[in-house]
Amino acid sequence: MTEAEQDRLTPRQRAVLERALELLVAGGERALTTAGVARAASCSKESLYKWFGDRDGLMAAMIAYQASKVRGFADNGAPMDRERFRAHLVGFAQDLLEVLGGDVSLALNRLAIGQASREKSRLGQLLVAQGRRRIDQSARALLDAGRKRGFIHYSDADEAYRTLYGLIVRDLHVRMLLGEEGARRPEKFAALAEQAVEQFFALYGARQKERAETA
Amino acid sequence: MTEAEQDRLTPRQRAVLERALELLVAGGERALTTAGVARAASCSKESLYKWFGDRDGLMAAMIAYQASKVRGFADNGAPMDRERFRAHLVGFAQDLLEVLGGDVSLALNRLAIGQASREKSRLGQLLVAQGRRRIDQSARALLDAGRKRGFIHYSDADEAYRTLYGLIVRDLHVRMLLGEEGARRPEKFAALAEQAVEQFFALYGARQKERAETA
DNA sequence: ACAGAACCGTACCGTACGGTACTGACAGAG
DNA sequence: CTCTGTCAGTACCGTACGGTACGGTTCTGT
């Protein structure tokens, strides 16, 4: 789907989407006008409508395009010990925080959330499907690799992943979306990632098999 | 602040805000027009501008008004054993999920997030300050009560509370804000609350003093 | 009873935006 | 050289919204 969409995009159209993303990041949804995009990208409005249908189509294309750039973390079957597994988890946590706190991600999430009330457009679904799925899947693959080697223990992979996500992100995402300055501190992401993984091991580490299963 | 604002609001103005909130819930920000509010509330636009200044003032008043209705969970010094403490935590978790998943809360959060890009309006700050503070404080009081009686153990209250929040909410809030139907399942909130508190005790329960402190 | 404030309903204005139509430049094909 | 399709730039249209002004009505205090 995303790949096919990408193949249909000419370099010119990609450049237009890039400028549109810049506009969105700089000024929010109010700044994302068809005339503004056309002017910033040096193209005509008519071309915009020809390529993307309408304004909603343009926004959907922006989401798909941006999502295609955020590549998931590939989990090749390289051998690793417990410490390397832990380092992988910390790296994932830090990457996740940095992706969620990035300018473009925040702007697109704000856009999709602002459109969520309109029953017509399903930008939210698109954002979750395109942006989050690959992150989720690579994380699940990482967890699965750790479980197979006995570093962690769980029965429900989905529940374990959601717990990890909650420990990492907490309420940071919403606070960043709300524009709270205190929430956006990239220099603290490393420490937060360490702490979250520490807690995750306390819950799902192999030595506490009897824990966190009863619910 | 909120109390003072509340005192300044006449019953008529409160009714107007109520209708405005209904409009916002029903149709999102696009439906929140001054003419629409005036028509729905049977008042004149002139009165709206007289009472609330401008559209931003109206939105701020809506947030403050709604926040004034969400009363925090009072923690009276009633005696409780470990099981009652756990039940209090589960109740808090379930209340939190139900508040965050409520129609009005979601609509107001969407509104504030949509306005977050505009440097002018600080609806996000207002929403956090008015809506979340009292929930946070009551939860911290509850945690503190549990710590004093030896049911849980932590050194940093803020960090313990944020962990509890993350375990409860995970990514549900953002997914609900994005309009994902699968995320909004109030019938599952009870089970989620139970599970989160279970995990919280695994991390901060008195029997695992040595855990979750090193970071 | 009377004055003044508060307020509803409506009309109005300026602006901004989404979307369409038109014109002219340019590039490749025959 | 000419025909044809693409696209930038611009002008245009209908609509919708924020904000203001005004006439008429109801409420209130004296």
Side-chain angles (χ1 to χ4, degrees):
Chain A
M1 176 74 172
T2 301
E3 327 289 335
E5 295 257 2
Q6 278 308 107
D7 292 343
R8 283 184 205 131
L9 291 180
T10 67
R12 181 82 180 95
Q13 291 163 357
R14 273 190 275 264
V16 169
L17 292 179
E18 203 72 51
R19 307 292 297 181
L21 284 173
E22 291 172 14
L23 276 182
L24 180 67
V25 168
E29 191 195 344
R30 316 277 308 202
L32 192 72
T33 66
T34 55
V37 173
R39 195 179 333 112
S42 293
C43 73
S44 70
K45 287 173 66 175
E46 198 169 14
S47 300
L48 287 183
Y49 285 96
K50 185 176 191 176
W51 294 333
F52 307 111
D54 56 2
R55 189 169 178 265
D56 287 344
L58 172 65
M59 297 191 292
M62 290 166 64
I63 289 179
Y65 170 65
Q66 175 66 15
S68 74
K69 292 197 299 185
V70 178
R71 288 285 157 208
F73 328 91
D75 177 40
N76 50 6
M80 59 181 172
D81 56 6
R82 191 177 189 281
E83 182 50 37
R84 280 194 62 82
F85 174 63
R86 205 193 73 95
H88 269 91
L89 277 181
V90 173
F92 165 77
Q94 197 166 347
D95 285 348
L96 178 60
L97 288 173
E98 274 162 10
V99 166
L100 294 184
D103 283 331
V104 182
S105 168
L106 286 178
L108 283 178
N109 273 276
R110 290 196 184 112
L111 179 66
I113 287 175
Q115 301 283 328
S117 57
R118 290 183 58 89
E119 182 60 34
K120 188 65 175 299
S121 75
R122 309 181 74 76
L123 289 187
Q125 326 285 337
L126 190 63
L127 192 67
V128 173
Q130 306 267 358
R132 281 281 303 276
R133 286 267 194 269
R134 67 186 66 197
I135 294 179
D136 293 0
Q137 285 175 354
S138 62
R140 269 189 258 262
L142 183 58
L143 288 184
D144 194 52
R147 188 180 65 90
K148 276 180 180 167
R149 305 180 197 213
F151 302 145
I152 55 176
H153 181 273
Y154 56 81
S155 57
D156 185 346
D158 195 72
E159 180 246 329
Y161 171 61
R162 289 184 181 275
T163 300
L164 175 62
Y165 190 99
L167 286 172
I168 295 169
V169 177
R170 286 150 154 164
D171 62 344
L172 270 183
H173 200 188
V174 173
R175 292 180 106 106
M176 291 192 294
L177 287 171
L178 282 167
E180 197 182 350
E181 287 108 10
R184 219 168 154 205
R185 292 265 181 266
E187 69 275 12
K188 294 185 179 175
F189 286 170
L192 288 175
E194 285 281 348
Q195 188 181 24
V197 172
E198 185 84 10
Q199 292 176 326
F200 182 73
F201 270 106
L203 284 175
Y204 291 94
R207 291 176 187 171
Q208 283 85 18
K209 287 182 186 175
E210 73 283 358
R211 287 247 153 255
E213 296 294 337
T214 56
Chain B
M1 177 76 172
T2 302
E3 327 289 333
E5 294 258 2
Q6 279 308 104
D7 292 343
R8 284 184 205 131
L9 290 180
T10 68
R12 181 82 178 95
Q13 290 164 358
R14 276 190 272 265
V16 169
L17 291 180
E18 203 72 52
R19 306 292 295 183
L21 283 173
E22 291 172 13
L23 276 182
L24 181 68
V25 169
E29 191 194 343
R30 316 278 308 203
L32 193 71
T33 67
T34 55
V37 172
R39 194 177 337 109
S42 294
C43 73
S44 69
K45 287 172 67 174
E46 197 169 13
S47 299
L48 287 184
Y49 284 95
K50 183 176 189 176
W51 293 333
F52 306 112
D54 56 2
R55 189 170 178 265
D56 287 345
L58 172 65
M59 296 192 293
M62 289 166 65
I63 288 179
Y65 169 66
Q66 175 65 16
S68 75
K69 291 198 299 186
V70 178
R71 288 285 157 207
F73 329 90
D75 176 41
N76 49 6
M80 58 180 174
D81 56 5
R82 191 176 190 283
E83 183 51 36
R84 280 194 63 81
F85 174 62
R86 207 192 72 95
H88 269 91
L89 277 181
V90 172
F92 165 77
Q94 195 165 349
D95 286 346
L96 178 61
L97 287 173
E98 274 162 11
V99 166
L100 293 185
D103 283 332
V104 182
S105 168
L106 285 178
L108 283 178
N109 272 276
R110 289 195 184 112
L111 179 66
I113 287 175
Q115 302 284 327
S117 57
R118 291 186 59 88
E119 183 60 32
K120 189 63 177 300
S121 75
R122 310 182 74 75
L123 288 187
Q125 325 285 338
L126 190 63
L127 192 67
V128 173
Q130 305 267 356
R132 284 280 303 276
R133 287 266 193 272
R134 67 186 67 197
I135 294 179
D136 293 1
Q137 285 176 354
S138 62
R140 269 188 256 262
L142 183 58
L143 288 184
D144 194 53
R147 188 179 66 90
K148 277 180 180 167
R149 305 181 199 212
F151 303 144
I152 56 176
H153 180 272
Y154 56 80
S155 58
D156 185 346
D158 195 71
E159 180 247 327
Y161 171 61
R162 289 184 182 274
T163 300
L164 175 62
Y165 189 98
L167 287 172
I168 296 169
V169 177
R170 286 149 155 170
D171 62 344
L172 270 183
H173 199 190
V174 173
R175 293 180 105 103
M176 291 191 295
L177 287 171
L178 282 168
E180 197 182 351
E181 289 107 9
R184 220 167 153 205
R185 293 266 182 265
E187 69 275 12
K188 294 185 179 175
F189 285 169
L192 289 175
E194 285 282 349
Q195 187 182 25
V197 171
E198 186 83 10
Q199 291 176 325
F200 182 73
F201 269 106
L203 283 175
Y204 291 94
R207 290 176 190 174
Q208 283 84 17
K209 287 180 186 176
E210 74 283 359
R211 286 246 153 259
E213 296 294 336
T214 58

